[in-house]
Structure formats: C-alpha cells, structure tokens
Amino acid sequence: MTRTPVSDQASATRIQWIDAAKGLGIILIVIGHLYSVAEPSAFYVFLYAFHVPLFFFLSGWTFKPGAEPLQGFFQKKVRTLLVPYFCYAMLGFLFYLAGFLAARQMHLQIEQFNYGLLPPLIGVFYGSLGDGHLVNTPVWFVIALFCTVMVGYGVNRLVASDAARMGVVLLLAAAGYEAARFVKLPFSLSSALIGLVFFQAGYWLSRHRPQTTMSPLRQVALFALLLAVSLLSQVNGFVTVAEARLGHPALFLVFAFSGTFMLILLVQLLGKNARWLAWIGQYSLSIMLIHMLVIKSVKVLLVAALSLSLQAIDHDVALGLLVLAVTAVLLVPTVYVMERFLPQSLGKPARTRALMPVRGLP
C-alpha cells in the first residue's frame, strides 16, 4: 500500500471550505486596504460590513474549548497568535523607522511621520489602532483574535447552556462597544468583544448545523437573497470593527451575518472550482500580517516613480488596481519566505513545508 506523505495527511485534515472562505476573505481584506476610507465608496461600505466578521466566525467554527486545559490552550494561542502579532507589529515599526530617518536625512516633510517615533513604538505594545499606533495596521486583528479566543474559552467552559453563553457574549460585546465611545482599550479589546458575537455564532453552528444538504437550486436562491440583503448595507453606512464604528448595532449584525453566510455559501457553491481559494486560505495569516507593508512599499515606489502624492494614489481607481496587481505578485515570494524560512515568526514549528497543494473540495 502506498504511504501518504505527511504533508498530504496534514492537508487532508483541513476543512477545505473553511480554507476557501479564508482565501476569499483575505483577498477582500487586501482589496479593502488599497484605497482611502476617509470617503469610502459604496463598494467599501458593502465590503467592510462583513469581511472582518467572517474571520471571527470561521475561528469560532474550528474552536474546541474542551480539547485541552487552560494552560495548554493559553500557551498554544500565545505561540500561534501573540508571537506573530509582536513579530510583525515590530516589523511595521521598523518600516516606519526607516522611512522616518530617510525623510529626515532628505529634509522631507511627510505627514505620515508627524507622530514621531514614540507613539508607533508604544503602539506595538498597546495593540490598538489610532493616534499613530500600529503602523502595520492589519495586525490589530491578530491580537484582537487572541483576546476573543481566550474570552470565548472562558465563556464556553464556565457557562453551561448555549442560551446563557450567547447572553453573556452579547453583554460583553455591548460593553466593548460602549467602552469604545469613551476610551481606546488596549489589545483591541473593544473589537475583540464585538468579534466574540461572530466567534460564538460560528462555534454554535459548527455543533448544530443541519445534517441535510440543500439542493443546488435552493443554494443559489439563498445566495441571491443574502447578496440582496448585504447590498442594503448602504443604509447603515461605513463600519469598521477595528475602531468599533458599527453604525446602528442591530443593522451591523444583520449585514455582517448576511455577508458572512453569503461568502461561505459562495465557496460551497463553487465546489472544486474554489481550490485556488483554499490554497490561498492556508496562508491567510501570513498575508494578513504582511500585505499592508507590501502595499505601502508599492505606493511609496509609485510616489517616487510618478511624482504623485499618496493621497492621489489612494483616490485613483486605476492606480489602486496597479497597486493590487504589483502587491499580488510580490506577496507570492514574500509569503514563501515567511512560511519556508521564518515559520516560527508565524507560530509554526521550525520544520514546515510551505505552499502545500490543496487536493480539492468535497
């Protein structure tokens, strides 16, 4: 009998529709960071309504609170979430430092460096966006997810019934949302508590999902309905979980869940045609950690080459698509290097095989 390679065994144990959903989600995250959100387009209003809640939901789906005791669970999450957060938050600061010193050397007055050096450095350890903190902005999600998972572990271990758990989760989310109106909590805690709603929903549905499958026709009809609901997100305006700006909280939940289910249903409808998304999804953490630094680097090069301002690039559709294309090309070797030679910075064992193929979706 032919032995299955270890890498193939590991790949086979993955839930491949989740990888596909992560792949599609991380593509949308990257697209969401191409343009300015000071005056967000209708597409950005639609996109931001659900692309971050999707990742909280998927994390909840794979959550197993009874699998190991608190100490082991905590140590694992420190390795897989906090270590990557600090590595790439500090890398973001080093990027900022290099640009800051270069601007000083060339006697350039660049608005992005008006914060000086101390706030971005403090921001690495404070872990929340705003006020010049976290130069590598997407890493807020990683430290927020750490907080979400740890709180979720406590809720699901200490509270007995599903109804009581969801009640506690909603109270915690409301507290995080209200707190954000008055103070910027460390470790993106307000965002983490808001994300806890989607995390808990994903965990609950993973255990109570229907055993019967819908016909393709019903799946298409449901997808169309969810898309129609999601397109109505314009009525709630632009939201961002990172800064706990939710518009009307009830509308936020409606559009966040409709968009999340819409994307999940889409990758399941695609079936084997979503293999390339599943391949990307296996490296969603690496892409999350590094893509903003690549985007900023590409924009700086365009500024130098075309004698444009960053503001001009941020508001130009064609230039944004150019940034996306160059970023996509650069991410391939960048992620390869991270996975192949720096796996420990991603919370992975030293020996890991990068860029494993995906066999296909069920």
Side-chain angles (χ1 to χ4, degrees):
M1 183 175 67
T2 304
R3 292 178 60 86
T4 303
V6 173
S7 62
D8 291 346
Q9 292 175 9
S11 182
T13 62
R14 302 184 69 96
I15 303 174
Q16 294 181 40
W17 70 261
I18 290 185
D19 279 335
K22 286 182 178 179
L24 181 53
I26 199 63
I27 290 172
L28 296 179
I29 291 285
V30 174
I31 292 173
H33 290 144
L34 292 176
Y35 302 102
S36 170
V37 295
E39 297 178 359
S41 64
F43 175 69
Y44 265 25
V45 173
F46 167 76
L47 184 62
Y48 273 72
F50 61 84
H51 69 343
V52 169
L54 169 72
F55 281 92
F56 282 112
F57 181 89
L58 294 175
S59 297
W61 190 283
T62 58
F63 179 54
K64 296 179 176 61
E68 53 190 318
L70 175 59
Q71 181 178 356
F73 185 83
F74 177 77
Q75 290 175 344
K76 179 181 178 181
K77 296 306 174 184
V78 167
R79 174 175 58 83
T80 59
L81 291 174
L82 283 193
V83 169
Y85 165 78
F86 279 110
C87 286
Y88 290 91
M90 185 57 71
L91 179 62
F93 172 74
L94 294 177
F95 266 65
Y96 179 90
L97 177 62
F100 180 89
L101 295 177
R104 283 289 184 90
Q105 184 70 26
M106 294 183 288
H107 304 289
L108 297 176
Q109 197 69 23
I110 300 177
E111 183 180 354
Q112 283 77 8
F113 298 127
N114 288 346
Y115 293 105
L117 294 180
L118 191 56
L121 180 59
I122 293 174
V124 171
F125 301 95
Y126 199 76
S128 295
L129 292 183
D131 304 321
H133 295 167
L134 284 184
V135 175
N136 189 5
T137 50
V139 300
W140 75 265
F141 173 79
V142 182
I143 197 167
L145 183 59
F146 172 82
C147 296
T148 298
V149 171
M150 294 310 304
V151 174
Y153 181 93
V155 169
N156 287 283
R157 290 294 292 265
L158 299 175
V159 182
S161 72
D162 285 327
R165 289 170 182 169
M166 186 53 73
V168 171
V169 163
L170 289 172
L171 286 174
L172 289 172
Y177 174 65
E178 285 298 317
R181 297 170 56 189
F182 305 101
V183 63
K184 189 181 299 294
L185 296 176
F187 315 130
S188 298
L189 188 56
S190 290
S191 303
L193 294 176
I194 292 167
L196 185 63
V197 176
F198 306 99
F199 179 87
Q200 188 65 27
Y203 174 61
W204 184 86
L205 280 173
S206 71
R207 295 179 298 118
H208 297 89
R209 61 188 183 274
Q211 297 303 313
T212 58
T213 58
M214 288 189 296
S215 67
L217 182 60
R218 288 187 176 183
Q219 286 182 318
V220 171
L222 179 56
F223 171 78
L225 175 62
L226 292 170
L227 175 59
V229 173
S230 297
L231 290 173
L232 294 175
S233 57
Q234 307 298 319
V235 303
N236 195 38
F238 182 72
V239 303
T240 168
V241 178
E243 299 176 11
R245 291 167 50 193
L246 308 183
H248 191 289
L251 290 177
F252 164 73
L253 290 176
V254 168
F255 298 128
F257 275 116
S258 65
T260 294
F261 295 143
M262 175 188 66
L263 286 194
I264 290 173
L265 188 56
L266 176 60
V267 299
Q268 293 183 342
L269 282 169
L270 289 173
K272 292 183 179 180
N273 293 320
R275 284 181 296 178
W276 66 279
L277 288 173
W279 179 76
I280 293 172
Q282 292 187 49
Y283 308 101
S284 58
L285 176 63
S286 300
I287 298 171
M288 180 76 77
L289 292 167
I290 203 65
H291 76 272
M292 182 59 90
L293 299 183
V294 176
I295 287 174
K296 288 183 176 180
S297 298
V298 172
K299 286 183 177 181
V300 168
L301 291 174
L302 285 178
V303 167
L306 303 177
S307 299
L308 294 172
S309 66
L310 282 175
Q311 289 77 11
I313 296 175
D314 284 341
H315 292 86
D316 189 287
V317 174
L319 289 175
L321 293 176
L322 176 60
V323 171
L324 176 62
V326 177
T327 297
V329 171
L330 293 178
L331 277 175
V332 174
T334 302
V335 170
Y336 179 84
V337 169
M338 292 166 66
E339 294 278 346
R340 181 74 175 180
F341 301 108
L342 302 170
Q344 290 162 310
S345 72
L346 303 171
K348 298 181 179 181
R351 289 186 177 183
T352 183
R353 180 180 173 182
L355 307 182
M356 294 184 296
V358 171
R359 295 294 181 186
L361 295 174

